[in-house]
């Protein structure tokens, strides 16, 4: 350990303060103190990292390389210190130096490496892989400006650069000696090598240097440290192609790492997304192959030492790129290269939404990466021949082939080549097998499997909710930290203990005080900690139905205004969401939430009973305040549309009660805790599918026959929430004239009744606390430790680092 005592910590901290900033610790700025502490923690992690790498090299451990366009890792200071077992010593040592560790925590920016659940899941997986003692590393792009920083101005979302790197990144180590060259454009050339073999190569390419910046991924109390490798783009020292100016070339390079998810409504944005995806996979694979060859001098054993896991569709170009590297750069035959690929790649699908099942115009790929496209064409040709030889019906072939209608279908590429394809919740995986990829499942039933998502309980309970997690440890011991699935169940013996239940309520009230402070600082709104905190925080998308939530709030508001005898128990409705810059409809929903909030919060007749808060620039750090304070977890997506969800798991683990549809992991949550400890409403997936298939649904039937629904819809265009009656016409039209795609009006009455039901449940405070305890006790199943052990058992087959 870097320091075994408080004195050692103080001595090292003081020495570093003088060496770097020329000042005593008492005189340095909190930002400087954070830099020093972060460097100390990073150095300890790096020492562990070396020992792990040495062990892997010596013992030949198999490793997983996890490719993802997002890793929403949040702040690392406290989780890293907790995992390293040095938090208490550091906190005490800093206090002796007159430094509050909280001040240093607040100096750290959330890393701009993700947007939503996909990136947060990847970060949780990395924590669990390291904490379970496996060798697993992430590959991502080092985005200069993240997704965007959300600013609410004049009742609208504005997008500003997320300058998360403004003060540097204390956790990364830049490693230019490990740089690789990524090639774009050019053309595929056939040539004869020195041994007379016909080979192909890429010539006349535009080259970009990819430089890795490594961030340590620290395991919990086990001296394991893996790596998150972030790739940054730099200009090549090679000559620029003749038809490209210096300015154009520099812009090309800079744009690759400029930001996450460029606007794909334009051709320029689509091409940039594709360039980013190729940059990530080419750099990661080249680096891995180079280090592997240095050890083994062959790639025939690559599947014995590596699994390349593709987190959703974005990294799927890794498959033809590995083929290219093996054949063009290392002389492997097609058959040998393809055999290696079919044993190395595993694929996780995260959605059934058609717009998220990536497909790219053939000419885009052929132009940007000519050799890669040639390889995709050949994979497709050979698959087509085999299917016809096997007498597969043409209709099924049509659904299984990779290239169709001038488009490369990325999921078809992954499923045909990878050895494993998994969904992320039981319902989601069944939809993949029976609907989305029905014919591919028929062809490769052995590839498909389910791995229900999970979250790292270390960040989302141990670190985020220290008062409750400490109390849980006091009750049942600390074994749950390393074995949450079984350990947390020991809480169930306290489910009828009145003192314990009262303490659960007290701790929730304490956590609400932090949320009160956040609401004031972030949104300028005073909220009542005695009110019910009803929360929906997630990416803004129509299928997640934030709109139904605000519709029900409008209904309650209108009802209270019309009937002075009708009142509800005080509620605080909390939203947090970003809408993609080009997603106009989602941005208009945010505007509606803000407009309704403005009216309600300023209405003295009503605001003692309800307030609406929209948290600006929702991120991981804010979630760590909001989630422990939440009473009701809104998980209200249209059944069959949410692959899994992970916020539902975080809320459950922190003692919130789920109000949701039978969608994604809500299904498993309801089964684990029992229907009496959550509130389920609305159509299930089968009912929603049947209604969609019949084509008989009309929102006008609900509008004309339900006065509450008519009042809500009319309020969008009658000036109730904005003098401009056209402002929310888009929302009205989307529901009424585009047939309410996500069945908001169909499920509204059920949702309205469910909200009334859950309010009644809340008012029985001891019984509510019992429900909260039962949710916490059963949440261990949703630890990403369980998920990773299942991935390893069925897909990766890693052995632990010794």
């Amino acid at each position: 350990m870097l320091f075994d005592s408080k004195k050692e910590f103080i001595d090292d901290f003081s020495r570093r303060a003088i060496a770097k900033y020329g000042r005593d610790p008492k005189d340095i700025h909190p930002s400087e103190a954070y830099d020093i502490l972060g460097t100390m923690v990073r150095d300890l992690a790096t020492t562990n990292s070396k020992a792990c790498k040495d062990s892997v090299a010596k013992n030949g451990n198999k490793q997983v390389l996890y490719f993802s366009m997002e890793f929403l890792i949040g702040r690392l200071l406290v989780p890293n210190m907790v995992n390293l077992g040095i938090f208490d010593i550091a906190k005490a040592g800093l206090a002796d130096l007159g430094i509050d560790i909280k001040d240093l925590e607040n100096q750290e920016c959330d890393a701009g490496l993700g947007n939503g659940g996909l990136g947060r899941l990847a970060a949780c997986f990395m924590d669990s892989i390291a904490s379970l003692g496996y060798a697993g590393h992430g590959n991502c792009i080092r985005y200069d400006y993240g997704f965007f920083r959300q600013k609410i101005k004049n009742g609208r979302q504005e997008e500003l650069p997320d300058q998360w790197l403004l003060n540097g990144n204390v956790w990364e180590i830049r490693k230019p000696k490990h740089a690789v060259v990524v090639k774009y454009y050019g053309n595929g050339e056939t040539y004869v090598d020195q041994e007379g073999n016909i080979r192909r190569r890429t010539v006349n390419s535009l080259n970009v240097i990819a430089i890795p910046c490594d961030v340590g991924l620290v395991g919990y109390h086990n001296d394991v440290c893996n790596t998150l490798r972030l790739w940054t783009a730099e200009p090549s020292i090679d000559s620029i192609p003749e038809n490209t100016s210096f300015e154009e070339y520099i812009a090309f390079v800079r744009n690759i790492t400029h930001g996450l998810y460029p606007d794909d409504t334009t051709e320029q944005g689509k091409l940039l997304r594709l360039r980013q995806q190729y940059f990530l996979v080419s750099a990661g694979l080249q680096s891995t192959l180079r280090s592997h060859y240095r050890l083994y001098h062959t790639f025939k054993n690559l599947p014995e030492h590596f699994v390349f896991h593709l987190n959703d569709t974005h990294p799927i170009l890794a498959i033809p790129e590995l083929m290219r590297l093996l054949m063009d750069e290392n002389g492997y035959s097609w058959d040998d290269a393809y055999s290696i690929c079919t044993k190395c790649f595993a694929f996780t699908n995260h959605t059934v939404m058609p717009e998220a099942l990536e497909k790219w115009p053939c000419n885009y790929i052929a132009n940007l990466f000519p050799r890669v496209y040639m390889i995709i064409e050949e994979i497709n040709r050979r698959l087509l021949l085999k299917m016809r030889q096997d007498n597969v019906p043409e209709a099924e072939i049509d659904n299984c082939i990779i290239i169709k209608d001038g488009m490369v279908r990325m999921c078809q590429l992954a499923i045909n080549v990878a050895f494993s394809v998994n969904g992320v919740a039981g319902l989601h995986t069944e939809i993949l097998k029976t609907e989305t990829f029905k014919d591919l499942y028929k062809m490769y039933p052995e590839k498909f499997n389910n791995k229900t998502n999970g979250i790292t309980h270390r960040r989302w309970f141990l670190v985020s909710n220290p008062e409750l997690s400490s109390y849980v440890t006091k009750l049942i011991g600390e074994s749950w930290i390393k074995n949450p699935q079984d350990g947390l169940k020991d809480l169930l013996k306290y489910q009828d203990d009145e003192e314990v239940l009262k303490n659960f309520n007290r701790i929730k009230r304490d956590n609400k005080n932090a949320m009160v402070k956040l609401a004031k600082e972030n949104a300028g709104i005073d909220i009542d900690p005695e009110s019910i905190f009803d929360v929906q925080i997630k990416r803004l998308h129509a299928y997640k139905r934030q709109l139904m939530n605000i519709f029900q709030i409008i209904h309650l508001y209108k009802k209270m205004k019309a009937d002075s005898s009708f009142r509800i128990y005080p509620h605080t409705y909390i939203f947090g969401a970003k809408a993609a810059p080009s997603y106009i409809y989602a941005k208009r929903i945010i505007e509606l939430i803000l407009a309704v909030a403005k009216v309600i919060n300023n209405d003295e007749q009503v605001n003692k009973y309800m307030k609406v808060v929209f948290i600006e620039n929702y991120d991981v750090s804010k979630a760590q305040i909001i989630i422990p304070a939440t009473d009701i977890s809104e998980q209200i997506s249209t059944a069959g549309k949410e692959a899994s969800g992970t916020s539902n798991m975080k809320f459950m683990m922190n003692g919130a009660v789920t109000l949701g549809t039978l969608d994604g992991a809500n299904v498993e949550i309801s089964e684990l805790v029992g229907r009496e400890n959550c509130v389920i409403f609305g159509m299930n997936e089968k009912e929603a599918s049947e209604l969609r298939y019949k084509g008989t649904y009309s929102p006008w039937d609900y509008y004309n026959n339900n006065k509450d629904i008519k009042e809500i819809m009319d309020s969008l265009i009658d000036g109730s929430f904005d003098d401009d009656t056209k402002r929310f016409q888009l929302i009205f039209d989307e529901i009424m004239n585009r047939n309410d795609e996500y069945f908001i009006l169909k499920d509204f009455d059920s949702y309205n009744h469910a909200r009334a039901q859950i309010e009644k449940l809340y008012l029985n405070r001891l019984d509510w606390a019992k429900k909260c305890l039962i949710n916490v006790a059963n949440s261990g199943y949703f630890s990403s430790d369980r998920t990773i052990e299942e991935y390893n058992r069925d897909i990766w087959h890693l052995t632990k680092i010794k």
Side-chain angles (χ1 to χ4, degrees), residues 179-199:
V180 298
V181 175
V182 177
K183 297 179 178 182
Y184 296 92
Y185 300 114
N187 52 278
E189 178 183 81
T190 301
Y191 70 102
V192 179
D193 66 16
Q194 293 178 345
E195 298 175 358
N197 299 309
I198 297 175
R199 300 291 183 196

Side-chain angles (χ1 to χ4, degrees), residues 62 199 288-289 292-308 322 325-327 330-344:
K62 192 175 187 181
R199 300 291 183 196
T288 302
L289 293 187
H292 180 82
Y293 193 82
R294 192 182 304 123
L295 269 177
Y296 299 105
H297 308 292
T298 181
F299 296 117
K300 290 181 179 179
N301 64 349
L302 191 66
E304 298 169 25
H305 294 278
F306 284 100
V307 177
F308 301 124
L322 182 57
L325 292 169
L326 291 172
M327 293 190 299
N330 293 282
Y332 278 70
S333 68
W334 176 277
D335 289 344
D336 288 342
Y338 193 76
S339 175
I340 290 170
C341 283
T342 59
K343 297 170 186 173
C344 278

